[in-house]
Amino acid sequence: MTTTEEHRTEEHPREQRKSKISRVVVRFAGDSGDGMQLTGDRFTASSALFGNDLSTFPDFPAEIRAPSGTLAGVSAFQVQIADLDVTTPGDVPNVLVAMNPAALKANVGVLEKGATLVVNADAFDERSLAKAGYGSNPLSDGSLAAFTVYEVPMTSITQEVCKDAGVKPRDAERSKNFFALGLVSWLYTRPVEPTIDWIEKRFADKPLVLEANARAFRAGYHFGETAELFEASYEVGPAQFPPGEYTQISGNQALAWGLIAASKLSGLPLFLGSYPITPASDILHELSRRKEFGVRTFQAEDEIAGIGSAIGAAFGGSLGVTTTSGPGVDLKSEAIGLAVNLELPLVVVDVQRGGPSTGLPTKAEQADLLHAMYGRHGEAPVPIVAARTPSHCFDAAIEAVRIAVKYRTPVLLLSDGYLANGAEPWRLPDVDLLEPIDPAFATAPNHVDADGTPVFWPYLRDPETLARPWAPPGIPGLEHRVGGLEKADGSGSVSYDPANHERMVRLRAAKIDGIARDIPPVEVDDEAGDAELLVLGWGSTYGAIVAAVRRARARGHRVAHAHLVHLHPFPENLGEVLARYRRVLVPEMNLGQLSRLVRAEYLVDARSLSKVQGVPFRAREIEAAIDAELGGPA
Amino acid sequence: MTTTAVPATTRKDWASDQEVRWCPGCGDYSILAAVQMLLPELGVRRENTVFLSGIGCAARFPYYMSTYGMHSIHGRAPAIATGLATTRPDLDVWVVTGDGDALSIGGNHLIHALRRNVRMTILMFNNQIYGLTKGQYSPTSELAKVTKSTPFGSLDTPFNPVSLALGAEASFVARTHDMDRQHMQEMFRRAHEHEGAAFVEIYQNCNVFNDAAFEKITGREARSAMLVPLVHGEPIRFGKELEKGVVQRPDGRLEVVDVADVGEDALLVHDEEREDPGLAFALSRLSRGPYEPTPIGVFRAVRRPEYGASMAEQLADAQERRGVGDLKALLRSGATWTVG
Ligand SMILES: Cc1ncc(C[n+]2csc(CCOP(=O)(O)OP(=O)(O)O)c2C)c(N)n1
Ligand code: SF4
Ligand SMILES: [Mg+2]
């Protein structure tokens, strides 16, 4: 087995109490009711404050409370923390914290020899073992011999320390995740205060819970210190970040903030029409909290009303946005087509999840690209923008708004479940330097009638952008009717004229194609300029591709990486870039949708690397594909 | 918005230059005329008036108005109107829809717009048929209706639009018909004045695919005996000599009676402002179809908070408590740390 940089840890030295390591991948796993997401989140937050670079991967079931103790009910949170730049949550955990047998069973398969296992020994009773499908107890049957196993009676210690605080054992049991957090915090030398502060704030109105959680957390921490069980603790030093102010951000939060920023930049009041759906709902939640920004959020009766209301708001001169996931995009298709015809600014956010149908609601996939591209009847082109990291969702949202407003068009903004819930440190942008967005509302008639009267023609286009004027109601003289019926070029009156229809179809297409002139060329990471293989990606595969390319290069391969933010239209230079490389590899969490688009558009032999398991690529999987393309390990 | 006096207009000022393309004799013409003739009286501005519609014959309406307008997609106009009305309280938002548009494909949007009480004036042209798609039965067609899609008669019980609207928590519900311009205008005026979602059902004749559907009650000769005008605060009576009336029986049932038999004092007095919609609902069930004495007028008009206004209040409240949103502060609302 090759030791790759992603999961390299140093030997566990016996005597030393603290050893420095460069990075570690920790995976917290437990029952859905065990609070593993919260535990992972807190570990991440204190690591971020400590100055580590990090990347997270929350991985949870669709059921809120799947049957407890079963494999189906296991919820996990993986985080990689490092003193250097990391781009993924890590291929393989170095440490697995398993709160019960099911959590162990569901995750032990991915561990490598020498990994550390911290288990809640109290949970390995016969009943729980049976529920997880264990015939014998893995803690004693030798099946974990390849790992360093720490058996810690987390439940009983937690109950013990909570006893004299007046917390009943049943209630104390719920705090065991804080014990685990305390223990892992000690193991990786995380500061205690941020977590205690957080517990105090979060549970301020529930003093007993506050007390139990704080005690459990401290007990976990002290257990590490005093229990002689562990040979050493580890220290992952702060990473070298460019100077600046940082915060930790998830994709959905960044996307919501990007929309608010775009509203400020354009001066357009933000209106969100949305229907709850995983994994997009948190954007609705976040925006609903921000009323002081003049954000109107409308929880509609369904996705069609979500987009319908956003179209109505856009007609009235607001920044209309609708957020959803795949099944919701299906429902919105007809209305997106209407917006194409109306030529009104609109942003449709698709936080992709596994499909078809309900599919894998909490898992990530990139299989809506062709739907975004073609999922409407008639010739109905829409620009597509895709975010590539959690923090990039901020920029991608602003870019989607910029295009929508400038070109008077619906824009599809693609994120996915992995970006939505994943978190990373984000260097805060200087908001004063963000480019303003000019709504350029129509203010006066733009045409003269045959009899010399000034009139307003709603479909008289800007010769350069081909965008039509945006004239929200309220201005005398600009009264006009729009609709889904075909319109006469210029005047916008209903027209069934055959030649006019073809002209309008071509004009709408040309308008969208023309956006290529207004977006940055795709950047290629190919330092030496001599790469034989280009890895072309889009969306959330970014981190895994970056890590894979780095490793392949470190082993002497000549590999380049380009990552598309604009998927429709493509950047103008893409064809020329593709032509520069002998081989093109396109990793995607679908059956090859981008590869199909670039093959059709540029006639290049772009090879698809597919993974549709609801989980992101591991860097090593892409690395192996690079090896295969370039003829074995360099 | 300008504060100058609203310029005087005439019907012509509200008509667009588009040729009206309904079938000759269609009831839609008289509704269009009623609206275009009423608007000059409402003291409203063309530039602040928006007509929104879905799809259907009725839904062509916005093209014929010289206001702002949108002819959208089938059934969705109330949803679109919700976005417009909540963001632009300065506008008059009218929704024109058909029985299929509003009650079939768009039923969900209609009931939710009504319960939310979003400020919009909904004119539902009920011709009990799908006109634009050439004559299939609609959700208001009578049971056993024979149409192209139901050659052996339709099997589904129709909706009563007024009952439906009342059940959907509508704060304003009225009914009128295309043969009486004055009554239409009175209903439209009332609906337009209403603070919230106002629903008006208009019996409309589709002379091509469902001719004379309402003839038995709206025909010139039939009207006085078959239409039961609802007048707020007045006993409910009708007939050429006002010889008929409506009473409520001890079990709650409404019944049509001869006034002479019961005496005037026994008649039910109409109260459109009653908080409890029960009586309005019972009135909406007085006739089983347009062949029995059928109430027209305002069934219900109650005050409820308007959705957009409540939303605006929440925003104003948040801005007052937290100050106008500051983007820099937003980005720093979580834990932050500084490098370098
Ligand atoms: C999504 C969709 N489904 C079906 C149609 C076809 N369609 C257009 S209008 C209509 C029915 C209209 O009936 P109604 O609302 O009663 O209007 P009317 O024509 O009677 O005024 C149908 C089914 C459509 N335009 N869009
Ligand atoms: S089909 Fe009926 S409703 Fe439609 S325009 Fe003709 S008469 Fe009017
Ligand atoms: Mg109809």
Side-chain angles (χ1 to χ4, degrees), chain A residues 442-507:
Chain A
T443 52
N446 57 357
H447 188 72
V448 185
D449 239 0
D451 65 4
T453 335
V455 290
F456 179 62
W457 274 20
Y459 281 78
L460 197 59
R461 296 170 190 279
D462 177 292
E464 198 185 320
T465 60
L466 296 182
R468 78 172 187 92
W470 186 11
I475 300 185
L478 303 195
E479 293 88 352
H480 65 284
R481 276 68 56 198
V482 294
L485 287 172
E486 186 60 284
K487 337 204 178 20
D489 182 16
S491 76
S493 303
V494 175
S495 166
Y496 299 104
D497 177 62
N500 175 75
H501 176 53
E502 176 153 350
R503 190 158 63 246
M504 290 298 276
V505 166
R506 290 185 185 281
L507 274 169

Side-chain angles (χ1 to χ4, degrees), chain B residues 98-100 125-131 138 204:
Chain B
D99 42 319
F125 297 16
N126 183 7
N127 52 16
Q128 300 193 344
I129 199 82
Y130 284 2
S138 92
Q204 173 247 325

Side-chain angles (χ1 to χ4, degrees), chain A residues 48 243-247 264 289 291-293 296 298 301 309 316 432 473-475 478-484, chain B residues 47 62 65-71 76 79 83 86 88 109 116 307 314 319 322 325 328 332 335-337 339:
Chain A
E245 203 177 350
Y246 285 78
T247 194
K264 284 256 174 192
R289 296 170 57 202
K291 303 212 183 302
E292 69 273 24
F293 286 88
R296 284 178 166 79
F298 169 60
E301 56 272 21
S309 61
D432 295 332
I475 300 185
L478 303 195
E479 293 88 352
H480 65 284
R481 276 68 56 198
V482 294
Chain B
E47 67 270 21
M65 301 297 298
S66 60
T67 63
Y68 286 87
M70 187 195 297
H71 174 228
R76 318 302 175 193
T86 53
R88 291 292 304 273
H109 308 307
R116 290 190 187 106
Y307 185 79
Q314 282 194 342
Q319 296 191 332
R322 303 182 206 161
K328 287 181 187 166
R332 287 157 184 80
T336 61
W337 65 96
V339 174

Side-chain angles (χ1 to χ4, degrees), chain B residues 22-23 26 28 57 127 131-132 204 206-209:
Chain B
W22 287 309
C23 308
C26 174
D28 291 357
C57 293
N127 52 16
L132 192 70
Q204 173 247 325
C206 168
N207 55 309
V208 173
F209 295 110

